Amino acid sequence: MISNKSGTIPEALRNFDQLPNTANVRQPVVQALYACSAASVWRGVKDGRIPKPRKLSPRTTCWNVGELRQALSKTGNSMLT
């Protein structure tokens, strides 16, 4: 079972398969998809293993679902299968 600090699964993660490729998700979803910590997400972005996020506002960062799906399919780490 996947959980975050609050012990709940983010709605976007539970419904990841139904999200359109144009949707955006926040960092907890990316952490769960890659089964890693926040620091590892940023290392993955730096290394090119995880797509670069977009800034929606000064304090809001998100990742594109279509780009995440494409990256996950290349690594074989997909939780979608």
Side-chain angles (χ1 to χ4, degrees):
M1 181 173 154
I2 300 167
S3 64
N4 58 16
K5 288 181 183 178
S6 66
T8 61
I9 298 172
E11 186 75 23
L13 180 59
R14 276 191 270 138
N15 298 319
F16 193 80
D17 289 342
Q18 287 76 40
L19 292 174
N21 283 337
T22 57
N24 294 308
V25 293
R26 302 289 303 273
Q27 186 168 336
V29 175
V30 178
Q31 288 177 231
L33 287 171
Y34 282 88
C36 66
S37 67
S40 293
V41 168
W42 292 107
R43 278 191 294 273
V45 170
K46 182 179 177 185
D47 296 344
R49 291 177 284 121
I50 298 176
K52 290 183 180 180
R54 293 175 168 81
K55 291 291 279 185
L56 296 182
S57 71
R59 295 184 63 175
T60 305
T61 301
C62 65
W63 280 259
N64 176 267
V65 169
E67 291 175 7
L68 286 171
R69 285 182 178 140
Q70 190 174 38
L72 286 166
S73 70
K74 290 179 184 177
T75 63
N77 286 340
S78 177
M79 293 185 61
L80 306 176
T81 58

